[in-house]
Amino acid sequence: MAGFRYVVADVFTDTPLAGNQLAVFTDAREIPEDDLQRLARELNFSETTFVYPPEAGGHVKMRIFTPSTEVPFAGHPTLGTAFVLAGPLQLGEIRIETGRGIVPVRVEREGARINFGWMEQPLPSIEPFERADELLAALGVESALPVELYDNGIQHVYVALGSRDEVAALKPDFQRVAAIGPYGVNCFAGEGASWKTRMFHPAFGVAEDPATGSAAGPLALHLARHGRIAFGDEIAIEQGAEIGRPSLLYARVEGADGSAERIEVGGAAVIVARGEFRF
């Protein structure tokens, strides 16, 4: 009987049972290919990761699955996997091979315990979102900024609302949102260094995500490109309160003239459980 061990971490929080849940299978070499998606569906977290030996110059290779599909990159799985692995590997920076290249994650410690991490994210492509009118109708809102599509391995669309209360009050038509396409829909509001966001991704089997690291970097870029913050500013992003899993993400973008040169997203994580599947 084969046993496949995993670790559960709550990511973008320093409080157990908050943030975004992640399962990390720390050695996936013997897991049959057909069982990867089935395991992710069984756990039913926003994402589950599977760790393999490196192939392209990193410390490890990582594959990421939502409950319904594999994705090349995502933020909270990358940060959470770094927390799980960098401790026993005794690394100050762990380089994780993803479907969008190597993502370095720099970790900070209090004694032996990792308490924070910064990941350098892939730079996204940007284009106007062609189905903006349909999306706004499905959300029941108007956007204060252009509705644009950012792709860093996950396709995210950004909708700017007038206040935090408007973000909290959103009640999307999930069926209509899913029919528009496989996009993460990010609705946000705030000012200065403090922002609130909610992310809906029903086409990927995630009605609402507690914390979306892959969306945090492009959000900072979106704000900088449209003059809401300056390039180089660090912002704090609150997410997940409406579904009972409050999260806190940090993001900063270096660049100029509307173009990003470096995007970093940071946060905490806590390991809350360990388990094993036996087939």
Side-chain angles (χ1 to χ4, degrees), residues 86 90-94 105-109:
Q90 300 183 22
L91 296 171
E93 179 181 272
I94 182 168
V105 182
R106 186 178 72 257
V107 297
E108 301 172 1
R109 286 179 165 83

Side-chain angles (χ1 to χ4, degrees), residues 84-101:
V84 169
L85 299 180
L89 293 175
Q90 300 183 22
L91 296 171
E93 179 181 272
I94 182 168
R95 295 169 57 83
I96 299 177
E97 298 173 13
T98 75
R100 287 296 295 264

Side-chain angles (χ1 to χ4, degrees), residues 3-7 24-27 31 275-278:
F4 307 126
R5 295 182 179 179
Y6 64 94
V7 177
V24 181
F25 286 83
T26 53
D27 184 354
I31 301 178
E276 184 178 42
F277 277 89
R278 287 188 173 273

Side-chain angles (χ1 to χ4, degrees), residues 60-104:
V60 295
K61 174 184 175 181
M62 177 186 68
R63 295 175 66 184
I64 307 169
F65 286 77
T66 75
S68 62
T69 191
E70 183 174 7
V71 296
F73 171 74
H76 103 271
T78 303
L79 183 65
T81 299
F83 266 74
V84 169
L85 299 180
L89 293 175
Q90 300 183 22
L91 296 171
E93 179 181 272
I94 182 168
R95 295 169 57 83
I96 299 177
E97 298 173 13
T98 75
R100 287 296 295 264
I102 293 176
V103 176

